[in-house]
C-alpha cells in the first residue's frame, strides 16, 4: 500500500486541485469509524456530507453491491432493470407516491427538477419559466444549480448564468410574494439548508409556500439531497413539517456511498417528462440502484429512523449542555441527525484540532459546526466523540474581535 506522502504526490502531479483536501489518505471505513493510511482511527460524525448514512461498509450494503456486481453491473435505460424499479417503489412508498427519474448526483437531480418544472409549465401553455430560490441555499455545481444557489461565491467567474432565477431570504413570505409573478413556474427550497448553516425553514412559512403554489398554479420543489433518506429522523425532510412538495430531489445517502441521484414528482407532474426530453446514461444503473434498495431495507429493518430521532435528541441535549459551559457555542439547531451548532467564531481551528484527536467533524458557512453522523450511531460513540469536542472547546481561546 502506498504511503500518505506517495498518494499526495500522485495527486499533486495528476489530479486537478479544485478541492481543499486534508493531508490524509482514507483507506478503510467501518460503521462510524474511519482509518487513514498511517493506521490512525477517526470517529466520523460527518458521514461524508451525509452520504454514508448507514455507516461505512455496512455488511448488508456490501453484500447487496457484491451480489449485484456479480450479476449485472450495467444496462442502459432502454431496458427495464429490476433494482431501479424497486428503488423507485421505495421512494414512492416512503414518500408521497411520486414517480422517479434517476441520475447520478444532487446537482443533476436539481437540473432534472428545474427542467421538469419548465417543461411542465410549457406543456400547459403557460409560458412560465422563472424560479424563486433562497439566500444561503445550496443546490449543486452545474449551471442551473449554481444559478439556483443564491450565494455569490458559487457563481463568481461563471457568468452569464441561467436566466429566470430570483432570490428571497429564507422564511420571508412577504419577499416571496413580492418576487412571484405570472411567469414564475416553481419555488425551490431545502426544508433545512445544509451548506448554508443548518437553517430550518419554519412550518408556517412552508405551509404558506404550499398555499401560494396551489393558488397560483406553481410547483413546490424541495431539495432533499441532504435532508432525505432518514437524515431528519423521518424518511424525508418534508415529513417533519408535514408540507408535501410536488417534486423532491435526493442523492447523497440514497446510494449508501455509490453514485446516484433522483428526482421524484407527483405522477401528474412527472407525466410531462416524455421520451426524448431528459436522460442519463448511468442514471439508476443496477449497481447503484441495488445499493439504494439495500439502504432503505437496512433503515427499515434496523429502526434507524427511530435511532436518528433518539440519538439526535441526545446529541442536541449534550450540545446544549456544552453551550451552557462555553460562550463559543451560541445556538444549537436542527432535526434528527442533521444538527448545527453556531459558533461565536470561525470553526476551522476547532475542526482541525478535533481531527488531530481522532474526531472528523465539519464546519460550514464559516461558523456552523455541522454534525451528521451515520443514522446507526450509538450513544457510546457519541459520548466518545463529545469527550473530544469538549476537550477541544475547553482548550480553544476565543478569537480576538
Ligand atoms: N443540494 C443540496 C441540498 C446539497 O447539499 C448538495 C451537496 O452538498 C447538492 C444539492 C449537490 O449534490 P452533488 O454534490 O451530489 O451534486
Amino acid at each position: 500500500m502506498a504511503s500518505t506522502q506517495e498518494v499526495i504526490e500522485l495527486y499533486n502531479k495528476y489530479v486537478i486541485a479544485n478541492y481543499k483536501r486534508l493531508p490524509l489518505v482514507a483507506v478503510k471505513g467501518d460503521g462510524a469509524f474511519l482509518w487513514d493510511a498511517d493506521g490512525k482511527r477517526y470517529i466520523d460524525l460527518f458521514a461524508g456530507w451525509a452520504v454514508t448514512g448507514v455507516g461505512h461498509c455496512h455488511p448488508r450494503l456490501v453484500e447487496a453491491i457484491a451480489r449485484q456486481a456479480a450479476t449485472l453491473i450495467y444496462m442502459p435505460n432502454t431496458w427495464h432493470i429490476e433494482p431501479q424499479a424497486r428503488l423507485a417503489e421505495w421512494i414512492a412508498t416512503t414518500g408521497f407516491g411520486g414517480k422517479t427519474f434517476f441520475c447520478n448526483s444532487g446537482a443533476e437531480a436539481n437540473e432534472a427538477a428545474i427542467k421538469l418544472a419548465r417543461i411542465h409549465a410549457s406543456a400547459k401553455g403557460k409560458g412560465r419559466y422563472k424560479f424563486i430560490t433562497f439566500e444561503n441555499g445550496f443546490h449543486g455545481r452545474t449551471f442551473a444549480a449554481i444559478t439556483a444557489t443564491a450565494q455569490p461565491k458559487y457563481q463568481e467567474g461563471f457568468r452569464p448564468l441561467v436566466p429566470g432565477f430570483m432570490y428571497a431570504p429564507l422564511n420571508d413570505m412577504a419577499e416571496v410574494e413580492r418576487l412571484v409573478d405570472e411567469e414564475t413556474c416553481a419555488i425551490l427550497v431545502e426544508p433545512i439548508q445544509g451548506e448554508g448553516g443548518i437553517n430550518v425553514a419554519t412550518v408556517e412559512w412552508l405551509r404558506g409556500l404550499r398555499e401560494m403554489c396551489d393558488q397560483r398554479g406553481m410547483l413546490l420543489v424541495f431539495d432533499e439531497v441532504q435532508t432525505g433518506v432518514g437524515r431528519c429522523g423521518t424518511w424525508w425532510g418534508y415529513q417533519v413539517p408535514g408540507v408535501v412538495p410536488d417534486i423532491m430531489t435526493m442523492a447523497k445517502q440514497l446510494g449508501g456511498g455509490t453514485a446516484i441521484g433522483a428526482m421524484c414528482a407527483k405522477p401528474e407532474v412527472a407525466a410531462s417528462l416524455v421520451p426524448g426530453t431528459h436522460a442519463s446514461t448511468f442514471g439508476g444503473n443496477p449497481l447503484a440502484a441495488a445499493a439504494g434498495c439495500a439502504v432503505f431495507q437496512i433503515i427499515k429493518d434496523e429502526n434507524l429512523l427511530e435511532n436518528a430521532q433518539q440519538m439526535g435528541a441526545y446529541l442536541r441535549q449534550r450540545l446544549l449542555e456544552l453551550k451552557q459551559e462555553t460562550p463559543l457555542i451560541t445556538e444549537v439547531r436542527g432535526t434528527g441527525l442533521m444538527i448545527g451548532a453556531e459558533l461565536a467564531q470561525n470553526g476551522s481551528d476547532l475542526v482541525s484540532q478535533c481531527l488531530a484527536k481522532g474526531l472528523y467533524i465539519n464546519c460550514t458557512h464559516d461558523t456552523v459546526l455541522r454534525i451528521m453522523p451515520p443514522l446507526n450511531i450509538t450513544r457510546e460513540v457519541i459520548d466518545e466523540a463529545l469527550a473530544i469536542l469538549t476537550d477541544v472547546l475547553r482548550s480553544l481561546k476565543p478569537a480576538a474581535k
Side-chain angles (χ1 to χ4, degrees):
M1 200 175 74
S3 70
T4 300
Q5 203 44 44
E6 284 164 340
V7 175
I8 291 175
E9 273 162 24
L10 285 172
Y11 264 88
N12 291 343
K13 250 178 153 171
Y14 300 118
V15 181
I16 292 181
N18 62 314
Y19 297 99
K20 256 194 233 159
R21 294 181 198 269
L22 300 165
L24 298 171
V25 175
V27 291
K28 194 180 118 171
D30 183 4
F33 299 103
L34 268 175
W35 283 264
D36 69 16
D38 298 322
K40 180 169 168 173
R41 190 196 80 161
Y42 302 83
I43 299 173
D44 185 356
L45 276 203
F46 188 42
W49 270 272
V51 167
T52 46
V54 294
H56 291 282
C57 301
H58 190 293
R60 290 177 63 191
L61 177 61
V62 172
E63 200 218 314
I65 293 172
R67 201 176 337 111
Q68 188 61 46
T71 316
L72 185 68
I73 293 179
Y74 180 75
M75 274 304 287
N77 276 309
T78 42
W79 285 61
H80 294 90
I81 301 159
E82 183 180 344
Q84 186 182 126
R86 297 260 172 239
L87 184 55
E89 183 183 28
W90 272 113
I91 295 166
T93 53
T94 55
F96 51 79
K99 287 188 155 185
T100 295
F101 162 82
F102 289 100
C103 50
N104 315 284
S105 67
E108 284 172 83
N110 287 325
E111 285 281 340
I114 289 163
K115 285 182 74 177
L116 174 56
R118 280 201 177 161
I119 205 168
H120 184 65
S122 126
K124 293 195 158 185
K126 288 184 183 164
R128 295 178 165 193
Y129 69 100
K130 292 182 188 164
F131 292 85
I132 312 286
T133 68
F134 297 92
E135 288 167 14
N136 294 321
F138 184 82
H139 301 290
R141 303 290 194 142
T142 56
F143 259 98
I146 57 167
T147 312
T149 297
Q151 299 194 54
K153 68 177 177 186
Y154 295 107
Q155 302 175 340
E156 267 153 30
F158 296 111
R159 290 168 198 282
L161 302 175
V162 178
F165 285 78
M166 260 121 242
Y167 311 132
L170 191 76
N171 292 327
D172 185 337
M173 203 61 204
E175 192 56 15
V176 178
E177 263 160 21
R178 197 183 67 76
L179 292 175
V180 162
D181 64 22
E182 288 305 301
E183 293 179 322
T184 310
C185 67
I187 295 176
L188 167 63
V189 63
E190 295 159 82
I192 300 177
Q193 290 182 332
E195 301 308 298
I198 314 290
N199 307 314
V200 184
T202 66
V203 182
E204 303 72 43
W205 183 72
L206 289 173
R207 279 193 195 134
L209 293 185
R210 179 69 276 174
E211 219 167 274
M212 179 190 259
C213 286
D214 290 342
Q215 281 168 3
R216 300 197 181 210
M218 301 182 305
L219 296 177
L220 183 59
V221 185
F222 282 179
D223 179 337
E224 294 250 16
V225 168
Q226 220 164 112
T227 52
V229 203
R231 179 56 40 199
C232 298
T234 48
W235 282 112
W236 305 101
Y238 81 80
Q239 290 161 340
V240 178
V243 175
V244 183
D246 301 298
I247 300 176
M248 67 176 174
T249 58
M250 65 206 79
K252 297 204 186 284
Q253 205 144 283
L254 183 61
T258 60
I260 189 165
M263 170 198 65
C264 179
K266 286 181 179 165
E268 64 275 20
V269 178
S272 295
L273 216 56
V274 296
T277 53
H278 200 49
S280 166
T281 297
F282 292 110
N285 68 77
L287 198 64
C293 291
V295 166
F296 276 94
Q297 195 70 56
I298 291 165
I299 293 175
K300 180 171 183 254
D301 293 350
E302 299 184 7
N303 296 321
L304 297 188
L305 299 181
E306 207 182 335
N307 194 63
Q309 287 164 21
Q310 287 170 357
M311 292 304 109
Y314 179 61
L315 251 166
R316 281 194 301 280
Q317 176 219 319
R318 292 285 314 269
L319 288 167
L320 284 169
E321 284 163 19
L322 268 175
K323 175 176 173 281
Q324 296 297 314
E325 188 188 312
T326 166
L328 282 173
I329 296 182
T330 58
E331 197 189 357
V332 176
R333 48 184 189 255
T335 306
L337 283 172
M338 186 164 180
I339 298 172
E342 183 81 48
L343 302 171
Q345 62 192 49
N346 188 296
S348 53
D349 271 3
L350 184 140
V351 168
S352 43
Q353 289 188 37
C354 284
L355 198 65
K357 289 178 186 277
L359 172 61
Y360 176 39
I361 206 166
N362 169 264
C363 180
T364 187
H365 219 65
D366 295 334
T367 56
V368 182
L369 202 60
R370 179 168 39 170
I371 303 180
M372 299 194 294
L375 305 180
N376 48 11
I377 189 104
T378 62
R379 193 175 279 252
E380 291 68 37
V381 177
I382 291 175
D383 287 344
E384 192 183 334
L386 285 183
I388 297 173
L389 180 64
T390 307
D391 263 11
V392 171
L393 276 168
R394 282 180 184 152
S395 70
L396 265 189
K397 293 196 177 50
K401 288 263 155 89

